[in-house]
Amino acid sequence: FKGLTSLNEESRFITLVKNLPTGLVVYSPDATVVYVNKVAKEIMGVTDCNAEGMTEAQLHRKLHFIKETGEELPLEEHPVFEVLKTGCSFSDRVYGTAEGKWILCSAYSTNGTDSQVVVVFSDITNLKDAEASCDMSREVCNHAFLNSHDAILVTDAEGKIYSINRMFSLFTGYGEDVVGKTTYDIGLWKDLK
């Protein structure tokens, strides 16, 4: 960005858009790609073609968006079509790609219906992978907690009970109804000292 301040406003804007760390695609009112930056091409996996001038339907044949549920996103539900149809912008929707990437997408109308649509997105694959790892770790810990042969209860510093396992119930006779109470409320300890 050396010399960026010496550029006129339009040149400065173009330089910034080309070098955004997020993908940016601008569509005309007929869903034809007017502009696509380098990051967008990389994220969408269309670096081998000139996407400008392509329609969303043509792009759809090259890349397939997937809902978080795993089902393919129908063409009419693609961000550009949704914004063109409603004239309403949206932000922070998550879509997958056939290549196994996850993107966080926002789409904006430049002027209501019959206007250009700007779609901005970021690759959040690493974030989704970390989330999946956390879910798996949580599942493993939960399984170990629930199925331990030791009586376990989870409390805060004041003794408020958040969770108990099956062995705690078998050992003490207390059930799930103690969750939310304190160990003092239920008289768990014979001698508080």
Side-chain angles (χ1 to χ4, degrees), residues 17-18 20 22-24 35-43 47:
V17 167
K18 282 183 180 178
L20 278 174
T22 57
L24 182 129
Y35 175 79
V36 57
N37 72 355
K38 181 181 174 187
V39 174
K41 285 183 176 185
E42 290 168 0
I43 292 172
T47 54

Side-chain angles (χ1 to χ4, degrees), residues 42-61:
E42 290 168 0
I43 292 172
M44 295 187 309
V46 292
T47 54
D48 60 336
C49 70
N50 181 9
E52 292 171 8
M54 292 179 81
T55 65
E56 183 68 4
Q58 290 168 325
L59 269 179
H60 181 65
R61 284 188 221 111

Side-chain angles (χ1 to χ4, degrees), residues 52-84:
E52 292 171 8
M54 292 179 81
T55 65
E56 183 68 4
Q58 290 168 325
L59 269 179
H60 181 65
R61 284 188 221 111
K62 287 187 130 328
L63 62 108
H64 301 279
F65 285 126
I66 300 165
K67 296 178 183 181
E68 282 191 279
T69 58
E71 55 195 295
E72 189 169 327
L73 185 71
L75 181 62
E76 62 274 5
E77 291 181 26
H78 276 224
V80 64
F81 289 121
E82 184 175 332
V83 173
L84 285 171

Side-chain angles (χ1 to χ4, degrees), residues 142-154:
N142 193 37
H143 182 74
F145 169 76
L146 292 174
N147 297 302
S148 174
H149 294 291
D150 295 319
I152 304 173
L153 75 153
V154 178

